Amino acid sequence: MTSIVIDSDRSDDSRRDAIHNGEVAVLPSSDASLALVALARTLIKNAFGHLDPQTAQHELDVEDYATLLTELKPQFIHHPLCKELIPQMLEAAGCDLDDMYFDVPRLRSATSHNYLTSGIAYAFHPHRDTWYSAPMAQINWWMPVYPVTTQNTMAFHPQYWQRPVSNTSGGYNYQEWTANQRFNLQGHIKKDTRVQPKADGVLDLSDELVVVTPPGSPMLFSAAQLHSSIPNQSGVTRFSIDFRCVHKKDLETEAGAVNVDSRCTGSAIGDYLNARTLSPLPAHIIAQYRDGHPQKPV
């Protein structure tokens, strides 16, 4: 069952266990999370110049807008401050940095009224991150850069927690995607033709659960949660930050959400960095997950 919990003073072990069982945790902002938002805002402002980034889509040709994002987003991903601020965020949340691993953060954008929904600004359909070769123990951290509303944030689809969805993840291999498609963004302004896992049937999304959090206040949820981008009809572009975490103990014991329908191959296991040393996961854990989900679908 999916529930929303405004996080209280509890241990990271307890919180991770609850998230693996369907909880969505909302954390208060911290100095580090607000600093990460400030960094994103600075880079966004520099990229858009005199234009308001939340409404610039109304003044730029879509091709020029896509080019701007193609330059902006890697600047954020690879900014050295990100690897300093994310461990500080984890520590503020009570995580043990020796056992926690994270991947690089992404700066996302969701424009309004279908202005740009593919390529560099891909609008995510209902999906589980575990369809994309994420381990079942992965926990996603997500927070807005500017204030959001129910019209331009993201949605969860709780009736599909631990309910299988027919999908095409069996044809997805993370290593092949990374090598051949992940960075192939040219030519995907009007339509994104890259092969990505999707539900291959009609979904009932009538029970969507929408949580609005302020900038710098992260939502934590399982990679197995079915979630999607709300079709933005607000008139303003949403910018958000997300990154993903795994705990060494959870990976070693194959803890995490139950795998109800993920059949992808390959694994993102090599992407995570230790929150204290920035080193990769130990070789035996990478080998344990490299070929795909060790937890087979039930």
Side-chain angles (χ1 to χ4, degrees):
M1 177 180 179
T2 299
S3 58
I4 308 296
V5 174
I6 307 302
D7 205 68
S8 56
D9 186 16
R10 58 176 170 172
S11 70
D12 178 57
D13 285 345
S14 175
R15 181 173 55 232
R16 291 199 325 276
D17 182 65
I19 291 171
H20 294 329
N21 283 283
E23 178 183 295
V24 175
V26 178
L27 303 185
S29 61
S30 64
D31 289 345
S33 69
L34 293 174
L36 192 61
V37 165
L39 172 64
R41 288 184 179 183
T42 296
L43 296 178
I44 292 169
K45 183 178 185 299
N46 290 343
F48 283 92
H50 69 281
L51 297 176
D52 181 340
Q54 295 182 85
T55 57
Q57 69 171 85
H58 304 298
E59 302 185 53
L60 293 173
D61 291 336
V62 68
E63 290 81 5
D64 293 337
Y65 193 97
T67 298
L68 186 153
L69 293 183
T70 301
E71 297 173 357
L72 165 64
K73 292 187 176 183
Q75 290 176 10
F76 178 79
I77 290 172
H78 300 297
H79 198 287
L81 267 180
C82 289
K83 291 187 176 70
E84 297 179 20
L85 293 173
I86 289 176
Q88 292 174 27
M89 285 180 62
L90 297 174
E91 190 166 38
C95 301
D96 184 340
L97 299 189
D98 292 322
D99 290 329
M100 190 65 72
Y101 291 73
F102 68 96
D103 70 354
V104 294
R106 272 74 171 182
L107 179 63
R108 311 282 188 184
S109 56
T111 60
S112 184
H113 291 81
N114 297 313
Y115 169 78
L116 179 61
T117 60
S118 58
I120 192 66
Y122 189 73
F124 278 95
H125 46 80
H127 69 285
R128 308 185 202 275
D129 280 20
T130 54
W131 293 351
Y132 292 75
S133 303
M136 304 307 296
Q138 178 179 289
I139 292 176
N140 297 356
W141 291 56
W142 185 98
M143 61 184 182
V145 174
Y146 302 102
V148 294
T149 71
T150 56
Q151 290 185 291
N152 66 357
T153 185
M154 57 173 289
F156 299 99
H157 307 290
Q159 70 167 296
Y160 292 105
W161 174 253
Q162 297 194 332
R163 175 181 166 188
V165 171
S166 180
N167 68 84
T168 62
S169 64
Y172 181 86
N173 179 279
Y174 181 76
Q175 275 63 43
E176 189 279 331
W177 164 264
T178 300
N180 300 312
Q181 298 192 61
R182 182 175 185 175
F183 302 107
N184 179 22
L185 300 175
Q186 298 300 320
H188 294 286
I189 293 175
K190 299 297 184 182
K191 183 179 181 181
D192 203 316
T193 59
R194 296 173 298 169
V195 178
Q196 303 194 53
K198 296 182 178 181
D200 58 7
V202 177
L203 298 177
D204 176 7
L205 305 181
S206 60
D207 72 333
E208 73 176 16
L209 181 60
V210 179
V211 183
V212 176
T213 60
S217 177
M219 283 194 298
L220 281 59
F221 58 95
S222 168
Q225 285 279 3
L226 193 74
H227 61 289
S228 63
S229 300
I230 289 179
N232 187 349
Q233 300 295 307
S234 68
V236 300
T237 297
R238 182 199 83 207
F239 288 91
S240 60
I241 296 167
D242 63 77
F243 59 92
R244 296 80 178 264
C245 292
V246 291
H247 192 280
K248 179 182 175 184
K249 179 178 69 175
D250 291 346
L251 293 173
E252 287 180 322
T253 61
E254 297 183 10
V258 174
N259 185 0
V260 295
D261 59 17
S262 297
R263 294 176 172 83
C264 43
T265 55
S267 178
I269 199 68
D271 291 353
Y272 306 104
L273 304 174
N274 180 260
R276 192 177 300 282
T277 66
L278 301 183
S279 59
L281 281 155
H284 72 278
I285 295 180
I286 292 177
Q288 185 178 351
Y289 285 81
R290 183 177 50 220
D291 295 332
H293 296 301
Q295 304 101 311
K296 301 303 179 184
V298 295

